[in-house]
Amino acid sequence: MRFPEPLIHGRLVRRYKRFLCDVEVDGEVVTAHCPNPGSMMGLLEPGSEAWLSPARDPARKLRYTWEMVRAAGELVGINTARTNAIVAEALSLGQIPELAGYPSLRREVRYGTASRIDLLLEEPGKPKCYVEVKNVTLKRHGGSAEFPDAVTARGAKHLRELIEMAGAGARAVMLYLVQRQDCESFRLAADIDPAYAAGFTRARAAGVEALCYACKVSPQSIELDRPLALALAGAREEARP
């Protein structure tokens, strides 16, 4: 996924009120939309390099959107609104072999209890494939990416709905997209949200699949890179090549 316009470089001043951030650009502090509802643990150090995208709608209240930050020397994509587009593009290019073979891809299809599945993959004669995508930015221990970075009741709800889809005979997949390149594996942050970790264990037992991919992140584009090994429930599961 290439950015349609060049990103604007600045320095992070602060993130506040959850969806707002101040960034210093060429000596001026501008307020930008922060499209990330999580805690953004490890990504909010004042003075960090930050990149903003300009609003394409001149009537929009906030002229900029925060897209990425440099943390521990690594570029990290923080815009959760980009996640589905990155995965959809990767699927169209055949870059996720575990999800190959579905000629139809639809986004934001209603399912479950007042929910929308991120991606619905279909092929005549095969069970539908429901894919829920989660953006991952947290890295605390060694080379492991972790999810979630805050308690997520919504994420737990999605796991329950995937369990229902698997029980009804569909294929159900939880795909974690790590918008950074410095991780070699993925694990659940059970200390941050024990309920989500327990729900994930139930989902796996019910037949819900789990995939994790890292991204190549640059100020020009964010693209799928490689699968990451899953280190879950005390057992390491190697990612498929």
Side-chain angles (χ1 to χ4, degrees), residues 3-21:
F3 292 103
E5 299 176 19
L7 297 187
I8 298 166
H9 178 262
R11 294 280 176 176
L12 179 66
V13 177
R14 60 171 181 155
R15 182 240 195 159
Y16 57 104
K17 293 184 178 179
R18 198 178 184 193
F19 294 111
L20 295 176
C21 66

Side-chain angles (χ1 to χ4, degrees), residues 186-198:
F186 169 82
R187 69 177 66 248
L188 297 177
D191 60 318
I192 293 175
D193 191 345
Y196 182 86

Side-chain angles (χ1 to χ4, degrees), residues 41-42 51 63 122 173 177 193 195 214 217 228 237 240:
M41 185 184 300
W51 283 261
R63 293 184 296 151
E122 297 173 288
V173 181
L177 186 75
D193 191 345
V217 181
L228 297 184
E237 300 182 27
R240 301 179 191 181

